[in-house]
């Protein structure tokens, strides 16, 4: 989907804070005080973004941070953008090229605008986004809801409208990642994190209304603070649910565990962001990288490649372009992701950062998705009864598609066993209705709880 083809807003967004006029002669009755309170409350923004119709599905693309940190330049950005095309990543769905922190000069100019660092980006941001768009890709930029970014470049606090306009109108970006460092004093903000993000959401929405362009996609990056999964969807299209992912298994397992508690919150137009991918970085093994990719994709996180794609191994590209896994992430019919149905080596509903939930399932347009994660340091056999998942029907047998082996794996009747799952490895399955289960199975109910014949005989 290119910038040009992004869907225009289908219905006008509801009034935002700045639109809510307060009648001049309103008498201070109980009702009017209530109306006034509503008008001044950030809750007025509820639904503002959802009706604006951008980023229905998790954003896929590339981001500079994990691979380059502050060592970025226009050459690096354009190199990776070109490789996205030549390596088939764009074809697989990765269509955003996003610049992270450190692109700016340390000071705003005398007009008060952020300026791009002229050594790193000598051609200027507009030329860069023109080049990215010419490849059929979209472009993303970065700022912060405080005085400075996390690397102490200018933040957007109190400059939200000016910066939104610069990013979208003058520089031509389509997407904004918005960080949470360098927070102003309480006696200046009189707000919480949500309030500071509402300021930018408002600015983006106002700008979109005045230009008629689709709004900048807003990616909230405040590391899961203040239970963002409860309110992130009011303001943006994705929200980080945890701190930074680093390229080690312990960190992957930690974020899977964190996200398991809010995995229900991802749906169309609003996604838990588990952080940018570390596949291709650090010491993640092949099996760990597959688990990382599967968990992020099936929990409907944005998928932003965070490695130098020029030096990426074939295995890295193979993992990133697993179309059967991507198809679940980008399912246009079912927006929700997988959630745990059993916790595995811990009792149910108990997990820890080393041993997150192991047994997950969810819906998709083509069948029921299962994800099994072996959190142990040794191979494991993993077994489950199909009806442990709510998305399975009793009395039906299921064909099994292995989304990593890319093979059909027979028919599952009532249960499934995965043998020898490697340490920290994953099994991803798509189960499809294969008709009634064979006659005469015993017991006559797969779930042997209150299984009773029509004449009242308790079977088990
Ligand atoms: C962090 C953020 C990272 C990266 C970094 C840049 O707060 O979580 O993803 O953007 O700031 O300084």
């Amino acid at each position: 989907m290119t910038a040009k083809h992004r869907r225009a807003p289908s219905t006008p967004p509801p009034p935002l804070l700045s639109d809510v006029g307060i009648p001049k002669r309103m008498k201070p009755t109980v009702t009017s005080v209530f109306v006034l309170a509503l008008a001044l409350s950030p809750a007025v923004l509820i639904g503002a973004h959802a009706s604006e119709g951008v980023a229905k599905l998790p954003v896929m693309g590339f981001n500079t941070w994990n691979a380059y940190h502050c060592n970025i330049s226009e050459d690096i950005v354009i190199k990776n953008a070109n490789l996205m095309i030549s390596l088939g990543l764009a074809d697989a769905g990765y269509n955003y090229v996003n610049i992270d922190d450190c692109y700016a000069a340390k000071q705003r100019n005398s007009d008060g605008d952020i300026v791009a660092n002229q050594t790193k980006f000598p051609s200027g941001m507009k030329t860069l986004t023109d080049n990215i768009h010419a490849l059929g890709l979209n472009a993303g930029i970065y700022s912060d809801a405080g005085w400075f970014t996390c690397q102490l470049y200018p933040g957007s606090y109190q400059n939200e409208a000016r910066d939104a306009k610069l990013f979208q109108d003058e520089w031509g970006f389509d997407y904004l990642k918005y960080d949470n460092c360098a927070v102003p004093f309480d006696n200046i903000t009189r707000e919480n994190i949500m309030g500071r993000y509402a300021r930018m959401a408002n600015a983006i929405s106002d700008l979109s209304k005045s230009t008629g362009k689709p709004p900048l996609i807003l990616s909230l990056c405040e590391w899961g603070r203040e239970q963002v999964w409860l309110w992130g969807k009011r303001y943006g299209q994705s929200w980080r649910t945890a701190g930074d992912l680093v390229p080690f298994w312990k960190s992957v397992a930690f974020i899977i565990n964190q996200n398991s508690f809010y995995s229900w919150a991802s749906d169309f137009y609003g996604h838990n962001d588990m952080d940018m991918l570390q596949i291709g970085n650090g010491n993640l093994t092949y099996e760990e990288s597959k688990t990382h990719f599967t968990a992020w994709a099936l929990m409907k996180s944005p998928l932003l490649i965070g490695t130098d794609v020029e030096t990426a191994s074939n295995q890295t590209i193979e993992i990133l372009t697993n179309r059967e896994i991507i198809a679940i992430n980008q399912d246009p019919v079912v927006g929700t992701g997988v959630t745990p149905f059993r916790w595995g080596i811990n009792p149910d509903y108990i997990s820890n950062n080393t041993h997150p939930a192991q047994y997950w399932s969810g819906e998709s347009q083509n069948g029921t998705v299962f994800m099994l994660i072996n959190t142990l340091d040794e191979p494991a056999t993993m077994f489950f009864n199909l009806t442990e998942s709510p998305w399975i029907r009793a009395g039906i047998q299921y064909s099994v598609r292995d989304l990593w082996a890319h093979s059909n794996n027979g028919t599952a009747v009532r249960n499934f066993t995965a043998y020898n799952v490697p340490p920290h490895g994953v099994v991803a399955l798509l189960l499809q209705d294969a008709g009634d289960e064979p006659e005469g199975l015993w017991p006559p109910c797969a779930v042997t709880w209150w299984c009773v014949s029509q004449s009242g005989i308790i079977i088990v």
Side-chain angles (χ1 to χ4, degrees), residues 188-208:
I188 296 172
T189 64
R190 306 279 180 207
E191 262 302 353
N192 56 8
I193 296 175
M194 181 171 72
R196 285 186 293 108
Y197 278 81
R199 293 170 65 97
M200 182 50 95
N202 246 342
I204 289 173
S205 193
D206 286 348
L207 177 67
S208 163

Side-chain angles (χ1 to χ4, degrees), residues 386 396-401 408-417 430-438:
L386 302 189
I396 302 292
Q397 59 187 353
Y398 286 84
S399 66
V400 179
R401 174 82 182 164
N408 298 325
N409 206 350
T411 304
V413 180
R414 293 200 171 178
N415 56 59
F416 184 85
T417 307
L430 183 64
L431 268 62
Q432 286 176 326
D433 185 329
D436 291 350
E437 65 180 21

Side-chain angles (χ1 to χ4, degrees), residues 60 82 171 198 299 387 436 460:
M60 293 176 66
N82 279 307
W171 286 358
M299 282 195 253
T387 50
D436 291 350
V460 265

Side-chain angles (χ1 to χ4, degrees), residues 49 142-143 145 175-180 193-198 200-201 204 216-242 269 271-275 302:
H49 107 269
Y142 165 99
S143 192
Y175 171 111
L176 172 64
K177 171 176 171 179
Y178 208 45
D179 220 327
N180 190 37
I193 296 175
M194 181 171 72
R196 285 186 293 108
Y197 278 81
M200 182 50 95
I204 289 173
L216 281 170
I217 291 171
L218 183 60
S219 152
L220 279 51
C221 176
E222 46 78 275
W223 325 294
R225 302 271 162 89
E226 284 181 4
Q227 296 178 282
V228 64
W229 43 91
L230 298 180
W231 53 266
K233 194 169 183 170
R234 296 179 192 178
Y235 306 115
Q237 287 73 28
S238 65
W239 47 86
R240 285 273 297 278
T241 52
Y269 299 107
H271 295 100
N272 287 340
D273 178 353
M274 297 166 73
D275 201 6

Side-chain angles (χ1 to χ4, degrees), residues 65 100-101 142 150-151 177 179 221 223 240 244 276:
W65 183 253
D100 210 282
D101 205 349
Y142 165 99
C150 301
Q151 306 303 319
K177 171 176 171 179
D179 220 327
C221 176
W223 325 294
R240 285 273 297 278
D244 289 9
M276 298 158 309

Side-chain angles (χ1 to χ4, degrees), residues 31-253:
T31 323
S32 65
V33 169
F34 177 68
V35 169
L36 182 62
L38 266 184
L40 295 175
S41 146
V44 174
L45 274 168
I46 290 177
H49 107 269
S51 60
E52 290 173 333
V54 291
K56 173 182 171 183
L57 302 174
V59 166
M60 293 176 66
F62 169 87
N63 173 292
T64 51
W65 183 253
N66 285 347
Y68 301 100
H69 297 276
C70 279
N71 302 320
I72 52 172
S73 66
E74 64 186 30
D75 290 347
I76 284 176
V77 174
I78 283 296
K79 175 191 88 170
N80 281 286
N82 279 307
L83 285 163
M84 304 276 286
I85 308 284
S86 58
L87 293 174
L89 291 160
D91 258 3
Y94 296 93
N95 59 5
Y96 279 79
V97 176
N98 297 347
I99 300 169
D100 210 282
D101 205 349
C102 307
Y103 64 83
K106 284 276 177 180
Q107 305 292 335
R108 289 174 180 267
N109 65 16
S110 52
D111 292 340
D113 283 328
I114 295 178
V115 283
N117 177 311
Q118 287 186 352
T119 314
K120 293 174 176 174
F121 294 89
S123 312
M125 288 302 187
K126 181 67 172 78
T127 304
L128 185 62
T129 62
D130 282 348
N131 289 332
I132 292 171
H133 290 146
L135 293 170
L137 302 170
N138 302 297
I141 192 71
Y142 165 99
S143 192
D144 189 287
W147 295 128
F148 304 99
T149 71
C150 301
Q151 306 303 319
L152 299 178
Y153 293 89
S156 290
Y157 186 70
Q158 290 184 349
N159 281 293
E160 290 86 356
R162 166 192 290 277
D163 291 354
K165 189 166 167 21
L166 175 78
F167 297 148
Q168 186 171 30
D169 255 20
E170 290 163 44
W171 286 358
F173 286 99
D174 311 292
Y175 171 111
L176 172 64
K177 171 176 171 179
Y178 208 45
D179 220 327
N180 190 37
C181 286
V183 178
F185 296 164
D186 295 352
N187 66 0
I188 296 172
T189 64
R190 306 279 180 207
E191 262 302 353
N192 56 8
I193 296 175
M194 181 171 72
R196 285 186 293 108
Y197 278 81
R199 293 170 65 97
M200 182 50 95
N202 246 342
I204 289 173
S205 193
D206 286 348
L207 177 67
S208 163
K209 275 187 284 174
S210 72
T211 60
K213 289 186 202 160
L216 281 170
I217 291 171
L218 183 60
S219 152
L220 279 51
C221 176
E222 46 78 275
W223 325 294
R225 302 271 162 89
E226 284 181 4
Q227 296 178 282
V228 64
W229 43 91
L230 298 180
W231 53 266
K233 194 169 183 170
R234 296 179 192 178
Y235 306 115
Q237 287 73 28
S238 65
W239 47 86
R240 285 273 297 278
T241 52
D244 289 9
L245 172 70
V246 289
F248 304 103
W249 171 250
K250 212 175 152 186
S251 177
V252 171

